[in-house]
Amino acid sequence: LLIGRAYCKASIRMGLASGGQMLYSAQGITHDGLLTIVRHRAAARESTEPSIYFDCNWLAMKWAKASPTPVTKIIQLATAFALNGVYVTLTVDGKLRHHSKKATINRDAAAEQARYDSILSRAKLQGLVQQSRSGTLSENEQEELKNKIESLEKKVQSKEDRVRQRGMIRNLSEALQEATSSLDPDLLKFIKFVEAKTQADCVICHAAVHDFCDAAVANDGDFPMVAGDKMLLIKIFARGIQPNSHADVIRFCDVWLVTG
């Protein structure tokens, strides 16, 4: 895994639960250390083009509340690698999903339920606000009503956030494609956009199995199971303090590699 003192201070441990039992993890790798690992893996497959694939659906959900948008954050992270000569493939799920994908069905259902709940809660909130304007309320009643309004406002906000986030995921492909196409031509040599027919997972695993990629920014235990030690997962990472600094976009990260 090339965890060397020359470029990072990291610890290696075996997973003790779930799919982690099949994986080695290295924690606390710096951005420069990660670049070194990716370049070495590219050299091992006799390539001069180190390559990373992004599971953009996972990143978008991870940064659902990011400002200004999750797409901006994804492009920023891709640029951090591209500026260091690493080829980045942004992959997103296609419009078709297998009917057995329970997570997709459940998320769509939860978003739809949240939409109905927010409508009902807003109607109730409007009634409470009108009630609070009555001049006949005692001080205690006013305080109680104020607390109810504040609580309901938070509930409405939470429900509407869920609806917006799901809508963002549904429109992720178009937003990413637009953002990628507007990049500087020099960056476009290193960053490309791919929409999978079904799931981004398939594109990423295919690239790993056929020696097209050296790492994946993703969080799916199936990847190493399918691609074996050809798949290096970058699962957890802390962003740099300065949001506009590409060089510091990753302060440190954890990576997972199949044990064999």
Side-chain angles (χ1 to χ4, degrees):
L1 193 57
L2 288 183
I3 305 302
R5 61 183 179 181
Y7 54 85
C8 69
K9 296 179 180 178
S11 62
I12 302 176
R13 64 177 176 81
M14 273 291 291
L16 298 176
S18 186
Q21 293 178 345
M22 299 287 291
L23 307 174
Y24 278 118
S25 70
Q27 301 173 319
I29 299 177
T30 64
H31 186 224
D32 289 342
L34 179 59
L35 291 172
T36 301
I37 293 173
V38 171
R39 288 168 182 153
H40 176 85
R41 288 174 65 84
R45 60 182 176 87
E46 300 182 348
S47 173
T48 58
E49 298 181 352
S51 171
I52 286 182
Y53 278 61
F54 285 12
D55 182 346
C56 293
N57 284 75
W58 173 64
L59 282 174
M61 287 190 289
K62 178 182 177 68
W63 289 332
K65 297 182 180 181
S67 177
T69 69
V71 169
T72 301
K73 300 297 185 183
I74 291 171
I75 293 297
Q76 187 180 48
L77 183 62
T79 301
F81 286 107
L83 290 175
N84 286 279
V86 177
Y87 290 81
V88 180
T89 301
L90 306 176
T91 59
V92 298
D93 292 343
K95 303 301 182 185
L96 301 177
R97 302 299 296 275
H98 194 271
H99 64 82
S100 65
K101 293 299 295 183
K102 293 182 179 180
T104 300
I105 296 171
N106 290 341
R107 287 170 186 151
D108 285 341
E112 191 65 13
Q113 182 65 57
R115 187 175 72 83
Y116 284 118
D117 289 345
S118 67
I119 293 173
L120 294 175
S121 295
R122 276 211 171 274
K124 184 177 180 180
L125 181 61
Q126 184 177 8
L128 291 177
V129 170
Q130 291 176 345
Q131 185 180 347
S132 69
R133 293 170 180 166
S134 171
T136 61
L137 297 176
S138 67
E139 187 175 335
N140 288 339
E141 288 174 330
Q142 289 177 350
E143 185 64 26
E144 182 180 354
L145 202 54
K146 177 184 176 183
N147 291 335
K148 286 183 178 180
I149 290 173
E150 290 178 351
S151 176
L152 196 54
E153 284 176 339
K154 291 179 181 178
K155 180 180 179 180
V156 169
Q157 184 66 50
S158 175
K159 298 294 182 181
E160 292 180 346
D161 283 346
R162 182 185 286 270
V163 175
R164 278 193 292 269
Q165 289 165 15
R166 195 60 188 158
M168 176 270 298
I169 293 295
R170 291 195 186 103
N171 299 319
L172 180 62
S173 179
E174 291 79 5
L176 262 177
Q177 193 168 9
E178 181 180 350
T180 305
S181 62
S182 63
L183 289 172
D184 184 276
D186 290 335
L187 281 177
L188 279 176
K189 297 176 183 177
F190 291 92
I191 300 175
K192 69 177 180 179
F193 168 82
V194 173
E195 179 179 307
K197 289 183 178 179
T198 54
Q199 286 184 262
D201 305 20
C202 303
V203 174
I204 296 171
C205 283
H206 180 273
V209 169
H210 292 86
D211 292 326
F212 297 145
C213 85
D214 304 296
V217 179
N219 184 24
D220 194 325
D222 294 342
F223 288 170
M225 304 306 108
V226 174
D229 61 3
K230 291 186 176 182
M231 177 61 72
L232 180 73
L233 285 184
I234 306 167
K235 292 181 64 175
I236 300 174
F237 52 89
R239 294 171 53 79
I241 298 174
Q242 299 176 4
N244 295 321
S245 172
H246 295 307
D248 194 34
V249 72
I250 294 180
R251 189 164 69 254
F252 65 84
C253 71
D254 295 354
V255 299
W256 272 253
L257 179 70
V258 72
T259 61

